Amino acid sequence: MVDTKKLTAFSNSGQIVIMRKKLICNDVHAKLNIVYYANSIRPLREHLLGFIHICNSNTHYNCYIITNQKSYASVSREIGIKSSSNITVVLETNFINQLKILLSANIILGSPIGFCKQVLRIILLLNKSTIGVKLRAGKVTKPSGFFHKNKTYITNVLKEYLSHKLFKSYTLVTDFLDKYYCIAAYGSCHEALIIHPSPKLMHMREAFSHSSKKTKLLFAPTHRARGEHSPIDDFIVSKNTQAELSRCGWSIAYSCHEHGFISSQLKDANIEIFTGKWDEIRIVITDYSSIGADFTKATGCPTIYFLPKDDKFLKDNNLPQFFKLEVDANIHVSTERELLAALSDLSKNNLPFQDSVEVVSFEPTLYFENLIAKVNQ
C-alpha cells in the first residue's frame, strides 16, 4: 500500500514519484503529460529544439506544443525533421482542445496569453497534481531588476511569492549563482527556483557534442540602446581583425539580440549571422550577454569576455558582483590586441578549459521525472 503522505524522489530504479500528496507515476514508463507554450518562451528556437530533444529521448511522455498561427509551420517543420512521434502541435486559437490538454497536464512550461492565461491560473490553483514552469532566456548576470534600478519593489516580491504559493509556479535556474541572482535582482521566492538544466542548455550541449572540428567564433554582444553598438562590432568589421582571424583558420559568426539590430557596417562586411548551429562554434566572445555563461555551462568551454575600459555600457552601469564572479571564472581581455592574442592561442589549442565549471548533464532521459524529484525535495 502506498503512503501518499510521504513525498518520494524518483530514481532510475523506478521509485514512486509523488507530487503534492498525489501519485504522478509509479514506474519509468508511466505517461507524463507535458504542455509547452512555444511563443511565451525566449529564445524560441533553442528552447524548442531542446524540448523536442527531451521528448524524443522519453517516448513515455505525451507532449503538446501550443503555438500561434505565425509559428505553426516552423514548429511543425522542426518536429518533422526530428521525427518526433510523441509530440502534438496545437494552435492556441483552438480553445476547447487547449483546455482539454491543460486539464490533464502534469507540467506546463511557459504560459498562454489573454483569457487562457486566467484559465491556466485556475487550473494550477485547483489541480494539485499540475505545476507551472518558467524558462528564462539565459543565465543573466549583468545589471537587471534591482541591479539596474537600485531599488526593489515590494509588489515584485509579493507577486513572486504568491505566484509560487498559490499557482505552484517554479522557475528553472542554472546553478546556485543564478539562483541567488534571481532572488537579489527580482525578489524571486527561494523555494520557487529549481536548479535544473533548461531545454536551451540541453540543446546547446547536444548540438555542441556532434562535431569535433569547429572553426567558427561566435561574437555575441549584449543588447544595447537603438543606434548604440558594441566594441565587439568595431572589432569584427576591422580589416586587420578579419585578416588575422582568417590566417588562424577562423571564420566569424555574429549573434544578434532578439531586440537588437544589424548595423550597416556588419552588413557591408558580410558577417555571417548566427542561426543556432552550435556544432560549428568553437568559442563565444561576448561583453555582457548571458549567452557566454550559458555556453560555458553547457559545454565546459571558457567564454572570452571583451571588456574595454572605455566602453559606454560599462560607464553607464554598475556591474553586480555576480557578473564579476562569472568573468573571473573565464577569460577576460580589455584590448583588441589581447583579444587577437587569445584567439591565436585558441587556434593552437593553447587556451585552457575551465576545469572548475560544472557541465550540464547531457542525459535527457527522465528529464521531467528528475525535475519533479527536485520540486518534491
Side-chain angles (χ1 to χ4, degrees):
M1 188 169 180
V2 177
D3 180 7
T4 57
K5 293 181 180 179
K6 183 178 180 181
L7 296 180
T8 308
F10 190 94
S11 74
N12 291 343
S13 61
Q15 280 186 302
I16 293 172
V17 175
I18 298 171
M19 171 74 76
R20 300 280 178 174
K21 298 184 181 180
K22 187 163 184 177
L23 191 63
I24 288 289
C25 58
N26 56 14
D27 61 63
V28 295
H29 300 295
K31 288 286 184 180
L32 284 178
N33 296 321
I34 314 296
V35 180
Y36 184 94
Y37 277 94
N39 298 103
S40 69
I41 298 170
R42 296 291 182 270
L44 188 151
R45 187 170 185 270
E46 286 172 304
H47 271 307
L48 176 65
L49 290 177
F51 179 70
I52 293 172
H53 173 56
I54 292 166
C55 294
N56 283 344
S57 303
N58 297 273
T59 55
H60 58 287
Y61 293 167
N62 290 323
C63 303
Y64 302 91
I65 297 178
I66 300 177
T67 184
N68 59 26
Q69 186 71 54
K70 183 178 179 181
S71 302
Y72 184 84
S74 61
V75 170
S76 299
R77 183 169 59 252
E78 295 290 359
I79 293 172
I81 292 172
K82 300 291 185 180
S83 302
S84 305
S85 59
N86 61 334
I87 302 178
T88 303
V89 184
V90 179
L91 277 172
E92 64 183 15
T93 52
N94 190 337
F95 175 73
I96 300 301
N97 197 12
Q98 190 177 163
L99 180 59
K100 291 179 181 178
I101 293 169
L102 288 176
L103 288 171
S104 64
N106 299 109
I107 297 176
I108 301 171
L109 294 93
S111 172
I113 59 174
F115 177 69
C116 284
K117 187 169 187 176
Q118 309 312 318
V119 173
L120 173 60
R121 285 175 174 168
I122 294 173
I123 291 173
L124 291 174
L125 183 64
L126 299 177
N127 190 344
K128 299 301 181 183
S129 65
T130 304
I131 62 170
V133 177
K134 300 175 185 176
L135 300 179
R136 301 174 67 224
K139 182 184 175 182
V140 178
T141 54
K142 66 183 179 183
S144 178
F146 167 79
F147 297 114
H148 179 61
K149 297 183 178 180
N150 290 322
K151 64 172 78 172
T152 299
Y153 296 101
I154 190 63
T155 51
N156 279 4
V157 178
L158 185 61
K159 178 183 175 183
E160 291 289 328
Y161 179 81
L162 292 177
S163 177
H164 170 60
K165 291 299 183 181
L166 292 180
F167 305 116
K168 303 185 297 297
S169 176
Y170 295 86
T171 300
L172 299 192
V173 291
T174 304
D175 51 28
F176 279 106
L177 188 67
D178 197 18
K179 183 171 186 172
Y180 287 104
Y181 178 91
C182 288
I183 294 172
Y186 312 123
S188 299
C189 178
H190 182 276
E191 296 174 358
L193 300 172
I194 306 297
I195 299 176
H196 195 66
S198 68
K200 173 187 173 182
L201 290 184
M202 298 295 286
H203 162 65
M204 291 175 68
R205 176 62 181 169
E206 192 259 346
F208 185 82
S209 64
H210 273 177
S211 173
S212 58
K213 187 178 181 181
K214 305 175 191 300
T215 59
K216 287 185 180 177
L217 306 172
L218 177 58
F219 290 86
T222 194
H223 175 52
R224 300 178 184 232
R226 182 74 182 178
E228 182 183 335
H229 62 272
S230 165
I232 286 178
D233 296 351
D234 297 331
F235 176 76
I236 61 176
V237 298
S238 163
K239 297 296 184 183
N240 177 59
T241 295
Q242 293 178 18
E244 183 64 22
L245 294 182
S246 177
R247 186 186 65 80
C248 293
W250 297 122
S251 58
I252 299 173
Y254 181 86
S255 176
C256 180
H257 192 278
E258 181 184 3
H259 301 297
F261 67 101
I262 303 297
S263 70
S264 58
Q265 284 181 302
L266 290 170
K267 291 178 180 177
D268 294 341
N270 293 317
I271 300 295
E272 177 186 336
I273 303 304
F274 181 60
T275 58
K277 295 181 179 179
W278 286 103
D279 57 313
E280 300 176 345
I281 302 301
R282 178 62 178 83
I283 203 167
V284 170
I285 301 94
T286 186
D287 41 20
Y288 312 98
S289 175
S290 62
I291 196 172
D294 291 340
F295 175 76
T296 297
K297 197 67 181 179
T299 67
C301 299
T303 291
I304 298 178
Y305 286 89
F306 181 42
L307 307 171
K309 295 178 181 178
D310 60 348
D311 186 358
K312 185 176 183 299
F313 188 93
L314 186 60
K315 293 179 180 179
D316 294 345
N317 293 275
N318 183 23
L319 296 178
Q321 188 64 32
F322 292 93
F323 177 77
K324 296 173 184 176
L325 289 171
E326 193 69 44
V327 170
D328 288 344
N330 286 273
I331 298 164
H332 50 96
V333 296
S334 59
T335 68
E336 293 188 357
R337 178 176 295 182
E338 290 174 343
L339 180 53
L340 280 174
L343 295 175
S344 177
D345 287 342
L346 178 63
S347 68
K348 304 168 187 173
N349 291 318
N350 290 336
L351 204 59
F353 279 17
Q354 304 304 291
D355 295 331
S356 60
V357 174
E358 181 185 353
V359 183
V360 169
S361 171
F362 180 46
E363 183 53 61
T365 56
L366 305 181
Y367 176 88
F368 287 109
E369 288 88 343
N370 290 329
L371 172 58
I372 289 172
K374 292 176 182 179
V375 168
N376 286 340
Q377 288 176 353

